[in-house]
Amino acid sequence: MGKNERLLADEDDAFATAARVKYYNIVIDSGQGAEITDVDGNAYIDLLASASATNTGHSHPHVVQAIQDQAAKLIQYTPAYFANTNGAELAPRLTALAPISGPTELAWGNSGSDANDAIIKFARAYTGRQYIVSFTGAYHGSTYGSLSLSAVSLNMSRKIAPLLPGIVKVPFPDPWQRLAGESEDAFVDRMFKAFTLPFETYLPAEEVAAVVIEPIQGDGGIIKAPDRYLRQVVDFAHDHGILFAIDEVNQGMGRTGKWWSIQNFPGLEPDLMSVGKSLASGLPLSAVIGRQEIMESLGAPAHVFTTAGNPVTAAAAMATIDVIEQEHLLDQSRILGEKAKAFFEAEQQKYPFIGDVRMYGLDGGIDIVDPETNAPDPVATTKLIYRVFELGAIIISLRGNVLRFQPPLVITEEQLNKAFVILAQAFSELAAGQLKLPANADQIGW
């Protein structure tokens, strides 16, 4: 038995099933750039970037140095009562990057989940309204508020009701909703009609505080909302005094080749937004950012946390922004994203089991389908991701049949090419009928 298996066996009796989505039986020990190594010394090209939480890669020297320097000075003094140097410098730097015109403020949190809880708090406080509209396929987090907004897994709501009241969900315009032969315009019109239906039948618009959306859904399958659809949603919201709020936890911090995914929709601005994951290169730091008048609608202590925005995480975030800017990672994401798109589209031409290919910078969702029916094929997907793992790369599935392609933005072209060789081999072996399900296939994935 290797060290991976021993550690996992030791952990098993003390670790709750609900706290991890299972994929591979490894214990990650170290990482550098776009490579991770398990406790048995096996190295993998990382195509997941810790769920898009390490966009600057693993143990980036500049981020490590910032953490070490700050830890030697002061690890923690609660920002709930007093400012700290790094947090005070980070706040104006981050609000200046936000895609929001006019005076903008933020409040710190520890995770994307509580940042999305904050959207609910501030939206309700500012508008005096109770209802929040969110979308099917959304993943906003695991605290009660963010979980109530989410709609990507039944296990997120099974056995723990009642969830937060006042949440109304509408269909997200994803590829699975499109009918055979349906034009883009007809699809958008139909999806927008589904969005407005609650407002026409049971949901008074004047009682709705906010619409919350991932402009590009993450765990829902890496899916960009159609431009015209999102513009119609924003116009409808603002016409009715409803705030437009976005979740940038997964898709922000350069992931799509822009600072924020909403910038893939020119001219659209949020009233509120949540940020987390890669904000501090994976350290526990999040923020809710919004227009000043909205952020001033609550008084302390409506949104304070003992450790949120502490000196070490703020130092890491300052260094993270440095790296993204100085190493031109937005450009890197766009350039290598085009290379990745070309690779997957070339493979799509070879294999009918590769369905839709969606790439937005180094941010991809690749559907694996039954060639006969074009229906999602989770069995083939599990075979593929496990074979990729065996060959030396880490990639996972979403929605059962979507390959999640989100490598660190610092991945080198050489590493990317190695990943393509691995993926191409797995595709070829699947086509030849050479792949089998792992023994624990029924436990793998969402």
Side-chain angles (χ1 to χ4, degrees):
M1 180 184 289
K3 194 171 182 181
N4 278 312
E5 288 77 12
R6 289 199 302 273
L7 283 174
L8 288 170
D10 290 344
E11 180 194 54
D12 188 56
D13 289 340
F15 193 75
T17 299
R20 179 178 297 144
V21 181
K22 288 191 176 181
Y23 280 97
Y24 315 117
N25 291 326
I26 58 172
V27 178
I28 296 170
D29 187 59
S30 63
Q32 189 67 50
E35 187 175 277
I36 57 173
T37 304
D38 69 19
V39 292
D40 284 327
N42 302 304
Y44 303 89
I45 297 172
D46 184 8
L47 302 180
L48 178 61
S50 185
S52 195
T54 52
N55 289 358
T56 57
H58 304 290
S59 302
H60 191 288
H62 184 59
V63 177
V64 170
Q65 190 66 56
I67 293 169
Q68 290 175 335
D69 289 349
Q70 181 54 52
K73 290 177 60 179
L74 178 68
I75 292 176
Q76 162 68 0
Y77 205 95
T78 177
Y81 296 126
F82 307 107
N84 64 76
T85 306
N86 293 324
E89 293 176 351
L90 177 61
R93 189 176 183 187
L94 186 56
T95 55
L97 288 173
I100 303 173
S101 300
T104 307
E105 293 183 355
L106 61 74
W108 301 122
N110 296 300
S111 72
S113 296
D114 61 49
N116 285 316
D117 283 3
I119 284 177
I120 299 172
K121 292 180 185 179
F122 284 100
R124 285 176 167 174
Y126 178 73
T127 62
R129 303 172 178 187
Q130 65 165 312
Y131 290 108
I132 308 288
V133 174
S134 64
F135 290 79
T136 56
Y139 179 79
H140 295 292
S142 288
T143 53
Y144 252 95
S146 61
L147 182 152
S148 299
L149 293 175
S150 301
V152 73
S153 170
L154 286 173
N155 275 355
M156 292 183 68
S157 54
R158 184 177 278 125
K159 299 181 181 179
I160 58 176
L163 301 183
L164 193 70
I167 308 295
V168 176
K169 295 182 175 70
V170 294
F172 186 86
D174 64 43
W176 294 275
Q177 300 288 339
R178 194 159 174 174
L179 304 176
E182 188 175 37
S183 69
E184 173 81 3
D185 282 343
F187 173 62
V188 168
D189 289 343
R190 185 167 60 83
M191 287 293 98
F192 186 66
K193 181 64 177 175
F195 170 79
T196 58
L197 183 61
F199 295 95
E200 296 167 355
T201 54
Y202 68 91
L203 180 64
E206 68 274 14
E207 295 182 24
V208 175
V211 172
V212 183
I213 192 171
E214 298 165 273
I216 299 176
Q217 278 198 342
D219 293 282
I222 317 294
I223 307 165
K224 180 179 180 288
D227 284 52
R228 183 164 68 86
Y229 174 86
L230 194 58
R231 292 176 193 282
Q232 286 179 297
V233 167
V234 173
D235 288 344
F236 179 93
H238 287 165
D239 286 347
H240 293 86
I242 299 168
L243 299 182
F244 173 58
I246 60 172
D247 180 335
E248 291 280 354
V249 175
N250 188 313
Q251 301 290 303
M253 299 301 294
R255 172 51 56 190
T256 68
K258 301 179 185 294
W259 271 107
W260 314 109
S261 68
I262 192 64
Q263 291 170 324
N264 291 280
F265 303 82
L268 293 189
E269 292 188 7
D271 299 302
L272 286 165
M273 61 186 285
S274 57
V275 186
K277 286 188 182 286
S278 279
L279 174 57
S281 288
L283 265 63
L285 178 66
S286 67
V288 57
I289 309 173
R291 292 193 285 112
Q292 185 180 61
E293 63 268 30
I294 300 172
M295 297 301 296
E296 287 298 321
S297 62
L298 286 171
H303 197 68
V304 298
F305 301 91
T306 301
T307 59
N310 74 38
V312 174
T313 60
M318 291 285 281
T320 297
I321 295 172
D322 289 345
V323 172
I324 293 173
E325 292 178 340
Q326 293 168 11
E327 298 187 12
H328 308 290
L329 293 189
L330 303 186
D331 293 336
Q332 171 97 334
S333 179
R334 287 193 295 269
I335 293 166
L336 294 187
E338 284 299 316
K339 186 177 177 69
K341 182 179 181 182
F343 164 76
F344 284 114
E345 289 181 344
E347 296 297 295
Q348 182 186 43
Q349 295 302 309
K350 298 178 190 175
Y351 304 114
F353 57 75
I354 299 180
D356 195 29
V357 172
R358 299 176 295 280
M359 291 293 303
Y360 319 103
L362 278 174
D363 184 43
I366 297 88
D367 296 347
I368 305 301
V369 299
D370 183 321
E372 300 296 325
T373 64
N374 210 39
D377 192 342
V379 172
T381 307
T382 300
K383 290 179 180 178
L384 275 172
I385 62 170
Y386 201 82
R387 183 57 176 150
V388 169
F389 164 66
E390 290 177 329
L391 292 170
I394 297 292
I395 194 168
I396 68 166
S397 59
L398 298 170
R399 292 182 72 147
N401 80 302
V402 181
L403 302 181
R404 178 179 185 164
F405 184 81
Q406 292 184 311
L409 305 185
V410 297
I411 192 169
T412 66
E413 194 162 358
E414 179 183 6
Q415 288 171 323
L416 196 60
N417 287 333
K418 287 181 180 178
F420 294 157
V421 170
I422 289 172
L423 287 160
Q425 180 176 338
F427 291 149
S428 174
E429 291 175 353
L430 178 66
Q434 297 172 348
L435 300 187
K436 296 181 179 179
L437 285 171
N440 65 335
D442 59 332
Q443 299 176 334
I444 290 179
W446 283 71

